[in-house]
Amino acid sequence: MLVLPSELMQREATACLHMLVQGLRSQPDAVVVADAAALTSFDSSALAVLLECRRQAHASGKTFGVKHLHPRLRELAALYGVGELLPATP
């Protein structure tokens, strides 16, 4: 499972993405789950990071889901029309 930090703003996005992609590549499972439970402070960069993780997972033949996505971030994803690209995972 990939774990998002408590803060994910534009200034942290590149480093966070690098860390998450490394974790994604090291996971042998066919399903990659990002746990966003700790994420409390974010901007739209968080969506960009999650979408790139999804792209990387799919490029590796894996599926991608998000667990505990903050309601405001889910609303932002829906507003941008990408909500269905970040499916909730139990």
Side-chain angles (χ1 to χ4, degrees):
M1 182 173 306
L2 306 177
V3 179
L4 274 70
S6 61
E7 183 173 329
L8 183 46
M9 302 290 211
Q10 183 179 6
R11 66 184 169 271
E12 295 94 16
T14 301
C16 182
L17 178 61
H18 181 70
M19 175 195 67
L20 292 172
V21 169
Q22 280 186 317
L24 184 148
R25 290 182 180 152
S26 69
Q27 289 200 4
D29 299 332
V31 177
V32 176
V33 176
D35 186 352
L39 189 61
T40 56
S41 181
F42 53 85
D43 62 15
S44 60
S45 299
L47 282 180
V49 167
L50 289 170
L51 290 170
E52 180 58 20
C53 285
R54 177 188 181 274
R55 191 187 73 73
Q56 292 281 335
H58 285 214
S60 299
K62 301 175 182 185
T63 58
F64 182 78
V66 182
K67 190 175 189 177
H68 303 119
L69 190 62
H70 193 284
R72 285 187 304 137
L73 193 53
R74 183 143 322 272
E75 289 172 10
L76 189 59
L79 178 67
Y80 289 157
V82 297
E84 69 280 353
L85 298 177
L86 300 172
T89 302

